[in-house]
Amino acid sequence: MGLIKAGLGALGGALADQWLEFFYCEAMPADVLVTKGQRREDKRSSNKKGTDNIISSGSGIAVADGQCMIIVEQGKVLDVCFEPGEYTYDVGGEPSLFAGGSMKENIIGSLYAVWERFKFGGQPGKDQRIYYFNTKEIVGNKYGTPSPVPFRVVDTNVGLDLDIAIRCFGEYSYKLMNPILFYANVCGNVEQDYKRSQIDEQMKSELLTALQPAFAKISAMGIRYSALPGHTTEMADALNEVMSAKWRDLRGIEIVSFGVSSVKASEEDEKMIKEIQRNAAFRDPNMAAAHLVGAQAQAMQNAAANEGAGSAMAFVGMNMANQAGGMNAQNLYQMGQQQGQPQYQTPPQAPDGGFGMAAPPPPPQQQAPPPQQQAPPPQQQAAPPPPAAPAQWTCQCGTVNTGNFCSHCAAPKPAPAAPAPWTCRCGTVNTGNFCSNCAAPKPV
């Protein structure tokens, strides 16, 4: 009974697989990377009992744009197609009476297929499958650094070279460039679909790991971390170079674009970088002088805004700072002017006067006088007399001072008393040395 059942199964299966088949794939959604080709069947089709995973010789296969088709036989890739269109499968398929060629050869091949199935108990002894790969750009893959990633900041203008920690967020897209590698190393024989959610977590983890060496390549180009959103092409190239061994050479995947939505360094690092860059700008004496003038003006405004003894103490502090020494704004401006002036030097002249001409003799008045006629060295000028000592005044606390404020209680120097009025003989009351009416002098 077993042999009869196997024989009937082999004959029925071979006859059912005589029909030619048409394989196709509908538009693949963005979350599907690989899907199995489907045999077209409808209510008018008579090919409803064909064996699964068997392709009849002469069957048609349709490939759409954005898809790649591979034919797998016995677990090995037999054929691959990247171009859209319709193709006829005529290599290694199940023999069919409807395939092109000699009818005699088709009949002999079909009888041989029945015998082969009989040896396997009525079932075919081979496995043939069609897979379609999504070769469109897979977009919308989000990433984010859960912890700060080191980034080297290099600024040759100010001699800056330090490592900071940044966080970045955004999206990236990738594409299947080599479906054969992806089939062999990732998906294999799938029953229906292979979705990107099955590999997203692994890819995201590897991407975050590759960010650090990719950032090192970007910083070596002199690109600042704040300018990363404007250099996404360089970032994608750097990531492809870092991850080529795992993604391109192992899985056949390459990054197409890399978007940076936000990049942020810690407040301490940002403050430190800004301070270093600002201090480096003050190497220019003109900029340092302008900053010093602005700081002094702001200090005077703050001192004038204080009430009571606060303003007096502020001005005392400014006077003490000026008297203690330090850089003056005027001196800085002079240094800037000196650095900006070009230094012209007389080029050395050839012994023959240049251009092959004899050098003219020096004029007689430029000849040095004999030693006995040289003028005596100038005598050292007398030192200028010392400045007169400032007038002293006594504060109400009893301290003797010479400045405008008391050094003990910071009380301001009292204004000089107004002169006493006097009456001229013409009857006019005056305060000056002469009468404002008759110009008579003030009586002694």
Side-chain angles (χ1 to χ4, degrees):
M1 292 296 294
L3 294 177
I4 296 176
K5 184 177 180 180
L8 294 176
L11 180 61
L15 292 176
D17 289 333
Q18 293 299 307
W19 300 105
L20 299 184
E21 300 160 323
F22 182 77
F23 292 88
Y24 72 102
C25 177
E26 299 289 353
M28 302 176 66
D31 61 336
V32 176
L33 299 180
V34 183
T35 187
K36 187 178 180 182
Q38 302 296 326
R39 181 173 53 196
R40 175 171 290 177
E41 296 178 0
D42 55 22
K43 61 182 179 180
R44 292 177 295 181
S45 175
S46 298
N47 185 13
K48 297 182 180 295
K49 297 182 179 181
T51 308
D52 291 336
N53 300 332
I54 291 296
I55 306 174
S56 300
S57 180
S59 297
I61 303 173
V63 182
D65 286 324
Q67 296 177 354
C68 173
M69 181 272 300
I70 66 171
I71 300 176
V72 180
E73 182 175 0
Q74 306 296 84
K76 182 180 179 181
V77 177
L78 184 64
D79 199 1
V80 60
C81 176
F82 289 91
E83 297 295 331
E86 183 180 355
Y87 299 89
T88 301
Y89 179 64
D90 55 1
V91 180
E94 188 74 4
S96 173
L97 298 176
F98 303 104
S102 173
M103 179 62 68
K104 179 181 179 180
E105 293 179 357
N106 293 337
I107 294 175
I108 296 176
S110 300
L111 294 177
Y112 181 76
V114 173
W115 173 247
E116 290 295 325
R117 290 180 182 233
F118 178 76
K119 291 191 296 184
F120 284 94
Q123 297 293 326
K126 58 183 177 181
D127 184 273
Q128 297 171 326
R129 305 186 183 201
I130 296 177
Y131 288 109
Y132 289 89
F133 291 80
N134 190 351
T135 58
K136 298 189 295 292
E137 183 179 1
I138 310 300
V139 299
N141 303 280
K142 300 183 181 298
Y143 74 93
T145 54
S147 58
V149 179
F151 187 89
R152 181 186 178 192
V153 179
V154 179
D155 192 346
T156 56
N157 295 328
V158 299
L160 178 63
D161 188 355
L162 55 88
D163 292 332
I164 64 172
I166 63 174
R167 296 175 182 267
C168 61
F169 306 90
E171 295 182 356
Y172 69 96
S173 65
Y174 61 88
K175 189 175 182 180
L176 291 179
M177 305 301 294
N178 193 331
I180 297 178
L181 285 178
F182 191 84
Y183 168 80
N185 299 321
V186 180
C187 66
N189 284 343
V190 293
E191 186 62 27
Q192 291 298 330
D193 297 337
Y194 186 90
K195 298 185 177 181
R196 70 178 186 178
S197 58
Q198 299 175 241
I199 196 176
D200 271 353
E201 293 299 324
Q202 179 68 22
M203 294 179 63
K204 185 182 298 184
S205 176
E206 294 176 359
L207 176 70
L208 296 180
T209 305
L211 275 179
Q212 183 171 348
F215 281 158
K217 296 180 180 293
I218 291 296
S219 62
M221 300 178 186
I223 300 174
R224 300 182 181 180
Y225 73 93
S226 57
L228 284 178
H231 296 273
T232 53
T233 303
E234 293 85 347
M235 194 66 194
D237 294 340
L239 285 173
N240 279 325
E241 184 178 354
V242 173
M243 297 187 300
S244 60
K246 286 187 177 180
W247 286 29
R248 184 180 60 199
D249 300 338
L250 181 64
R251 304 187 183 113
I253 298 176
E254 288 189 10
I255 293 179
V256 178
S257 63
F258 186 85
V260 179
S261 301
S262 174
V263 57
K264 181 70 174 176
S266 63
E267 296 182 359
E268 295 80 5
D269 291 338
E270 288 184 348
K271 183 178 179 181
M272 177 180 59
I273 293 174
K274 291 179 180 179
E275 184 177 357
I276 293 175
Q277 292 175 341
R278 183 184 62 180
N279 293 338
F282 293 154
R283 293 182 298 183
D284 184 358
N286 291 326
M287 296 187 66
H291 179 74
L292 180 59
V293 170
Q296 290 176 349
Q298 185 64 36
M300 291 181 180
Q301 293 178 2
N302 296 337
N306 293 330
E307 298 180 358
S311 61
M313 293 297 296
F315 281 110
V316 168
M318 292 178 58
N319 292 333
M320 293 178 64
N322 291 333
Q323 293 176 3
M327 191 58 65
N328 192 309
Q330 185 65 27
N331 296 337
L332 290 174
Y333 280 125
Q334 292 177 358
M335 291 174 59
Q337 292 177 358
Q338 293 175 1
Q339 292 183 2
Q341 291 177 356
Q343 302 292 333
Y344 296 102
Q345 295 182 359
T346 304
Q349 192 175 18
D352 58 350
F355 303 100
M357 299 176 61
Q365 59 272 17
Q366 293 183 359
Q367 294 180 358
Q372 61 275 11
Q373 296 181 3
Q374 290 183 356
Q379 298 181 357
Q380 187 176 5
Q381 297 182 359
Q392 298 181 351
W393 59 278
T394 303
C395 181
Q396 59 185 359
C397 65
T399 304
V400 179
N401 305 280
T402 58
N404 293 328
F405 295 91
C406 179
S407 61
H408 181 260
C409 65
K413 179 181 179 180
W422 58 277
T423 304
C424 182
R425 61 176 176 266
C426 66
T428 303
V429 179
N430 304 280
T431 57
N433 294 328
F434 295 90
C435 178
S436 61
N437 183 39
C438 63
K442 177 181 178 180
V444 180

